[in-house]
Amino acid sequence: MKDEAALLDMFKTVAARVDKRDFPNVTMDSVITDLGIDSLTMMEIIGQMETSLKIMIPDEDLVELSTVGDLCRKVGERLESVA
């Protein structure tokens, strides 16, 4: 299973690729909307992370995500549940 630091790095990499800009100062406490990431871009980021990790995050869980840490923890939970 990936730890939170690895998932944070993955988020930064995928977000940079999708949004075509770097996110060097992102932390687990960073609020997604404060990063200038809109909902459509966020869905693309989540989709790429799901595909890469071979997981699926239920849509009802996505509404609970406000920080990068929320997303990383949700991804970590899904990884544990399929392990």
Side-chain angles (χ1 to χ4, degrees):
M1 188 201 99
K2 292 184 178 275
D3 62 25
E4 284 188 353
L7 292 172
L8 177 61
D9 286 340
M10 181 182 198
F11 172 85
K12 290 179 187 180
T13 301
V14 173
R17 183 173 54 239
V18 170
D19 211 34
K20 297 178 181 32
R21 62 189 171 102
D22 289 333
F23 292 92
N25 300 317
V26 172
T27 68
M28 295 295 275
D29 296 324
S30 296
V31 176
I32 294 165
T33 54
D34 290 351
L35 298 173
I37 296 174
D38 63 24
S39 58
L40 185 59
T41 302
M42 192 62 200
M43 292 306 297
E44 191 170 344
I45 293 167
I46 292 169
Q48 287 192 21
M49 290 179 76
E50 287 175 325
T51 300
S52 177
L53 297 169
K54 297 177 177 50
I55 60 169
M56 181 69 161
I57 300 172
D59 290 343
E60 58 269 13
D61 289 351
L62 298 179
V63 296
E64 302 170 3
L65 306 179
S66 62
T67 67
V68 174
D70 292 340
L71 172 60
C72 291
R73 282 185 286 279
K74 189 60 64 178
V75 168
E77 290 170 12
R78 297 305 300 171
L79 286 169
E80 286 178 2
S81 71
V82 297

